[in-house]
Every structure is written in C-alpha cells, then in structure tokens.
Amino acid sequence: MHYRPISPAALAAELTERVAALPNRRLAVAVDGADVAMDTSGLADALVAPLRLLGRATVRVPARGFLRPASLRFERGKQNPDARYTDWLDLGGLRREVLDPLAAEGSGEVLPALWDPARDRATRLARVPVPDSGVVLVNGEFLLGAGLAFDLVVHLWLSPAALRRRLPAGDAWALPAYERYEAEVDPSSLADVVVRVDDPRHPAVYEPEG
C-alpha cells in the first residue's frame, strides 16, 4: 500500500478542494476515526474556515452529541467493547436530525447535538439552517458501515501497533471495539479518503496503485 506524506496544513487544503469540487448543494462530510486515540475533531475544525472562504457555509456536528443516554450505553457495563461498538451512537438520531434534513426534499435545518453525555440530558439546542450550498462536517467513530448518507468520508487510520500505543490507559478496554470495526466494516475500503495518522504531525494519504 502506498501512502503519500503530507503536512497537516496541506491535508486540510487538499480536503477543502475535494469538498469544493462536489456538487454545489447541501453536503454531509464525515471525518471518521477512533476518537480516544486521535483528533477527528481537529481535522474537521481545520476545514471550516477554508470552506467558508470559498462561500460554503459550514456547520460542525460532533457525533458525540448523538450518543445515547447512559442508561442505554452502559446497560451491559461501562467498559463493554461490544456495547461501545453497537450501542453508544444514536444512529437513528444522527440520521433523522442531521443527514435527512440535507436531502433535496429535507428541511435544510440540522440539530448540532441531541444529547449532552456529560450531563446525560437532552441539549435542547436550536436547529441551524444550512443553505443550499452549505456543508455539514461530522466527526466521530464507527460512522461507516451503518448506511449513513455522507457525500464524502475521510477515514483516519492507525496501524494496530499505533492504535494500541495511542489509546489512553483508561480506554484500553475499548480496543476490541476498534478491532471489530476494522474486521467487520473495513472502513478504509469504504472511505473516499484514507489518511494514516500513526504520527499526527506527519500524516500520509493512501493512494491506490495504478
């Protein structure tokens, strides 16, 4: 597999160009990766200002704002990797409140967050209108393989050794969830852009041979 080294700034510029080249309509773009081991939000945040400079109104939606209530997330225990993989993210809420409104027949108004996991209660945020040429940037983990309607997906990939190394000690129990995602979904095969981030200061973009 061939990876092309790139600086973080050049990566943001390149991804901005990729998004800008998509059809001039409401778009959903995902930055997918193991949240506790890497900074998916940082890359998504880095695209906001450049896209706005190009005239594309941009809304940020962290997937953590669509976690399910603690009573459902922790029904099988607070450190259950299978629950982390299948039960934590409210896929229906993310689809209903963020992705469906972006469709041609949708309302064009998205909810930036549905649930506050720290306070374990609804956020009660107001909906945000997305113009016809607007972009919604969603970051989080396990976003692929669930039928979510993204127009562009960037997957941040870690080698198995780097993933184990970068997981905080308190989150090491979640490693089987990420291994299961890799084995069952193979997110690198589904994403539009794959970026290796073993060293976040020196990312590299996967380029298929031929």
Side-chain angles (χ1 to χ4, degrees), residues 33-36 62-94 114-118 120 140-143 146 148 167 170-175 177-178 180:
D35 265 348
V36 294
R64 279 192 59 82
F66 289 84
L67 292 180
R68 304 171 79 196
S71 60
L72 298 175
R73 296 201 312 276
F74 304 144
E75 190 172 13
R76 292 187 277 172
K78 290 187 176 181
Q79 295 188 348
N80 185 298
D82 289 326
R84 174 78 171 247
Y85 181 53
T86 61
D87 299 344
W88 280 32
L89 184 61
D90 182 358
L91 294 169
L94 186 59
L114 181 62
W115 197 258
D116 181 344
D120 199 33
E141 58 187 26
F142 309 135
L143 296 178
L148 297 176
L167 275 175
D171 290 290
W173 62 269
L175 180 61
Y178 300 117
R180 182 177 170 188

Side-chain angles (χ1 to χ4, degrees), residues 109-189:
E109 295 187 344
V110 304
L111 192 65
L114 181 62
W115 197 258
D116 181 344
R119 302 171 65 194
D120 199 33
R121 64 179 63 179
T123 59
R124 303 188 185 280
L125 294 177
R127 298 181 184 279
V128 177
V130 180
D132 289 344
S133 62
V135 179
V136 173
L137 291 165
V138 180
N139 74 283
E141 58 187 26
F142 309 135
L143 296 178
L144 285 162
L148 297 176
F150 292 112
D151 298 284
L152 182 78
V153 176
V154 181
H155 176 63
L156 302 184
W157 183 81
L158 290 169
S159 66
L163 176 59
R164 288 191 295 271
R165 184 174 65 250
R166 298 264 298 275
L167 275 175
D171 290 290
W173 62 269
L175 180 61
Y178 300 117
E179 292 174 338
R180 182 177 170 188
Y181 183 52
E182 187 73 23
E184 295 183 4
V185 175
D186 188 11
S188 294
S189 70

Side-chain angles (χ1 to χ4, degrees), residues 1-8 11 14-15 32-33 37-39 43 154-163 165-166 182 188 191 193-207:
M1 292 174 37
H2 175 67
Y3 285 90
R4 170 171 51 88
I6 191 170
S7 70
L11 174 62
E14 193 170 292
L15 292 176
D32 173 71
M38 64 182 74
D39 187 16
L43 180 55
V154 181
H155 176 63
L156 302 184
W157 183 81
L158 290 169
S159 66
L163 176 59
R165 184 174 65 250
R166 298 264 298 275
E182 187 73 23
S188 294
V193 181
V194 178
V195 184
R196 183 168 182 163
V197 288
D198 284 7
D199 182 345
R201 299 166 300 176
H202 303 286
V205 178
Y206 171 64
E207 292 187 335

Side-chain angles (χ1 to χ4, degrees), residues 39-63:
D39 187 16
T40 60
S41 62
L43 180 55
D45 289 343
L47 304 183
V48 173
L51 285 170
R52 288 176 176 169
L53 284 174
L54 294 177
R56 306 296 295 263
T58 306
V59 178
R60 282 284 287 109
V61 176

